[in-house]
């Protein structure tokens, strides 16, 4: 037997683990080096060499074979299982000349390894603490007593434009090495059928996707079984949207972003994303503007310290170097449609606000438009009830619905429930009120 892990009978007396260990030693590599080059974990390489797994997945086999430069005889051994039959072949390995099944079973075939995370935002600021919190929640070792088959599920929630997607992508890139079997990114606002997209992304290369949604969900769980995959679900509106996309494997993790808190999602960790602090908000405007104008604090406050509006303001200043921050603030305060000023290419603050507004029912939309008549420093259920002619209980329920949509901030104060309507949302509420007044009245 040679150092390559093979015997003089093309490996018939060697196990798959011995083949990998021998080839690795011959290449002068450590398990950590093989893990780094294959995208697998050190633990996975160790398990393979100790024959812990009954069968290597095809994608793992291909990566190991390429890194260790295995020949056909060695690859043939790796197709097998731990114990060898006396007939000289490994269970599951075809006889010479026997056709290989054209469609592999879930988990056994040439499954894809998705790497779908978008580019990270280059100017993410002020998110160190919450980023660390989300990373810790996604990668924590299972707690004692945790039920087998439960992936880590983290829901990141916050108002419109607060930077939930940017945070999720940033975190995804930070933890991707922990999930060597792939990273899925499912945009529920822009993907017509996220479940079909997920099945196609992680399934066999034949691209077979069932038509029935129940079958798709079951097949997705089968493909993700015993794999370490990160699933990022962006823009979820309801718990039901998320449940069909959840893996049934403890090795996977799911990161969800939503305007809503999705409290009905079983076993999820909920982490709120607040607006930036004032210094980080000013820093983001400076970075987006490409210059360092003075007196940015009032402009940052009008934006509610929300990254989407701050970035739009910075781009506006960059495009108009003759406009000072105080000039832009005056324009935002006096323009009939101030949100027209916060548009740059496909970045439009109004579009994000409108999408959230569309989730409200008619009665709640009318209250939202009337919030501009209430004292912005005293947005309490009692004050809003007085301004909108309803009871405080009804006002609170509707204010909570508006906050759940991402258009309003809940504030925890010693004197009870308060809410805050920031500059962009207030401007949109005025537009909504004007549109409602000018809409033609239906006649019989």
């Amino acid at each position: 037997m040679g150092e390559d892990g093979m015997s003089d009978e093309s490996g018939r007396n060697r196990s798959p683990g011995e083949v990998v260990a021998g080839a690795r030693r011959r290449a002068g590599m450590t398990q950590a080096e093989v893990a780094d080059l294959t995208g697998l974990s050190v633990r996975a390489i160790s398990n393979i060499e100790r024959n812990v797994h009954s069968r290597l997945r095809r994608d793992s086999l291909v990566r190991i074979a390429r890194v260790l430069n295995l020949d056909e005889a060695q690859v043939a051994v790796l197709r097998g299982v731990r114990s060898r039959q006396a007939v000289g072949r490994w269970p599951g390995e075809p006889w010479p000349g026997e056709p290989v099944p054209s469609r592999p079973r879930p988990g056994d075939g040439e499954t894809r390894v998705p790497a779908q995370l978008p580019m990270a935002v280059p100017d993410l600021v002020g998110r160190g603490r919450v980023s660390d919190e989300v990373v810790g929640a996604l990668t924590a070792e299972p707690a004692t007593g945790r039920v087998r088959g439960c992936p880590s599920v983290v829901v990141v929630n916050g108002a419109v434009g607060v930077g939930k997607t940017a945070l999720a992508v940033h975190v995804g890139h930070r933890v991707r090495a922990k999930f060597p079997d792939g990273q899925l990114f499912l945009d529920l606002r822009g993907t017509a059928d996220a479940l079909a997209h997920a099945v196609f992304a992680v399934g066999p290369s034949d691209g077979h996707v069932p038509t029935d949604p129940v079958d798709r969900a079951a097949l997705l769980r089968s493909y993700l079984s015993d794999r370490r995959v990160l699933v990022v679900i962006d823009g979820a509106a309801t718990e039901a949207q998320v449940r069909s996309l959840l893996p049934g494997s403890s090795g996977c993790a799911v990161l969800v972003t939503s305007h809503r808190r999705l409290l009905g999602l079983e076993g999820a960790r909920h982490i709120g994303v607040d607006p930036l602090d004032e210094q980080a908000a000013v820093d983001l405007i400076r970075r987006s503007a490409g210059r360092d104008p003075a007196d940015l604090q009032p402009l940052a406050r009008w934006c509610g310290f929300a990254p989407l509006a701050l970035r739009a303001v910075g781009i506006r200043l960059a495009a108009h170097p003759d406009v000072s921050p105080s000039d832009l603030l005056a324009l935002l305060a006096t323009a009939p449609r101030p949100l027209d000023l916060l548009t740059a290419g496909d970045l439009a603050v109004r579009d994000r606000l409108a999408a959230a507004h569309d989730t409200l029912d008619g009665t709640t939309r009318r209250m939202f438009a009337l919030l501009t008549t209430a004292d912005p420093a005293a947005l309490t259920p009692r004050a809003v009830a007085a301004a909108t002619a309803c009871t405080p209980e009804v006002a609170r329920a509707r204010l909570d619905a508006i906050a759940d949509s991402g258009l309003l901030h809940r504030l925890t104060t010693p004197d009870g429930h308060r809410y805050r309507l920031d500059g962009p949302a207030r401007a949109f509420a005025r537009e909504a009120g004007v549109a409602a007044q000018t809409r033609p009245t239906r006649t019989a």
Side-chain angles (χ1 to χ4, degrees):
M1 181 179 64
E3 279 297 310
D4 60 354
M6 300 297 294
S7 72
D8 57 359
E9 298 183 28
S10 299
R12 287 188 177 184
N13 296 324
R14 311 304 299 160
S15 71
E18 289 171 316
V19 169
V20 172
R24 175 180 60 76
R25 287 192 293 268
R26 184 185 182 196
M29 300 173 68
T30 64
Q31 289 182 345
E33 288 170 330
V34 175
D36 185 55
L37 292 171
T38 59
L40 302 175
S41 66
V42 175
R43 182 177 179 181
I45 299 299
S46 174
N47 287 344
I48 290 168
E49 292 190 357
R50 290 183 292 114
N51 295 305
V52 171
H53 300 298
S54 62
R55 184 184 295 273
L56 272 178
R57 289 197 308 273
R58 178 67 178 273
D59 55 328
S60 298
L61 189 155
V62 169
R63 283 183 275 175
I64 290 171
R66 287 174 179 168
V67 168
L68 297 180
N69 196 27
L70 302 184
D71 60 28
E72 290 185 12
Q74 291 170 311
V75 170
V77 173
L78 262 63
R79 287 204 207 107
V81 294
R82 275 178 250 161
S83 60
R84 175 180 169 273
Q85 293 179 342
V87 295
R89 69 183 181 97
W90 298 94
E93 182 180 349
W95 289 96
E98 181 181 352
V100 178
S102 59
R103 180 173 294 167
R105 295 174 299 168
D108 286 347
E110 190 174 357
T111 52
R112 298 178 175 89
V113 179
Q116 297 183 343
L117 292 174
M119 183 188 84
V121 174
D123 54 1
L124 190 75
V125 297
R127 294 304 189 201
R129 182 195 60 77
V130 69
S131 173
D132 289 344
E133 185 178 0
V134 178
V135 167
L138 285 174
T139 59
E141 291 297 323
T144 303
R146 182 174 173 180
V147 178
R148 181 175 174 82
C150 291
S152 299
V153 180
V154 179
V155 178
V156 169
N157 64 83
V160 174
V162 81
K164 300 179 293 295
T165 301
L167 174 65
V169 172
H170 171 76
V171 167
H173 282 287
R174 281 187 62 182
V175 304
R176 62 182 299 173
K178 300 283 188 181
F179 301 96
D181 295 319
Q183 306 88 39
L184 282 172
F185 186 85
L186 306 172
D187 180 1
L188 298 192
R189 293 178 295 254
T191 304
D193 193 333
L195 189 52
H197 175 84
V199 171
F200 181 81
V202 300
S205 54
D206 65 2
H208 173 67
V209 178
T211 56
D212 185 88
V214 175
D215 291 339
R216 287 177 178 174
L219 193 58
L220 177 63
R221 291 191 295 272
S222 297
Y223 288 146
L224 295 179
S225 177
D226 298 323
R227 299 177 72 182
R228 292 189 63 81
V229 175
L230 173 67
V231 182
V232 180
I233 303 172
D234 188 39
T238 65
E239 290 89 345
Q241 282 185 307
V242 176
R243 287 193 184 102
S244 64
L245 297 167
L246 293 179
S249 171
S250 304
C252 293
V254 182
L255 177 56
V256 184
T257 72
S258 178
H259 296 157
R260 301 180 182 276
R261 288 177 288 180
L262 303 183
L263 297 177
L265 204 57
E266 300 84 350
R269 168 86 177 271
H270 300 271
I271 298 177
V273 182
D274 296 323
L276 298 173
D277 60 44
E278 184 173 283
Q279 185 55 51
V282 168
D283 185 29
L284 181 54
I285 296 178
R286 287 196 178 110
R287 292 182 184 217
S288 301
R291 54 191 176 106
D292 192 10
D295 198 24
L296 287 172
Q297 287 82 356
L299 202 52
R301 282 193 291 273
W302 187 91
C303 293
F305 305 127
L308 178 66
L310 294 166
R311 189 170 283 109
V313 161
I315 293 172
R316 184 80 184 182
L317 291 172
H320 301 276
D322 56 320
V323 175
S324 69
S326 58
D327 291 338
L328 180 55
L329 185 63
L331 285 171
L332 290 169
T334 58
R337 290 169 57 87
L339 296 181
D340 288 345
L341 303 173
L342 302 185
T343 301
D346 62 354
L347 189 158
V349 174
R350 179 186 286 110
D351 291 348
R352 302 287 184 88
L353 295 168
H357 186 255
D358 287 345
T359 66
L360 303 176
D361 61 41
T363 303
T364 308
R365 288 183 190 181
R366 286 191 288 275
M367 172 172 279
F368 175 66
L370 290 172
L371 290 181
T372 58
T373 64
D375 181 0
L379 279 183
T380 64
R382 187 170 299 279
V384 171
T388 59
C390 67
T391 66
E393 293 74 21
V394 170
R396 179 178 171 183
R398 291 176 184 167
L399 287 168
D400 281 338
I402 297 169
D404 283 340
S405 75
L407 293 170
L408 194 63
H409 293 279
R410 287 186 186 86
L411 304 176
T412 303
T413 61
D415 56 345
H417 296 276
R418 287 179 178 270
Y419 303 82
R420 187 180 76 237
L421 188 66
D422 292 324
R426 180 173 292 276
F428 186 84
R430 288 197 194 96
E431 291 184 10
V434 171
Q437 292 171 5
T438 58
R439 189 176 295 121
T441 303
R442 291 186 178 182
T443 57

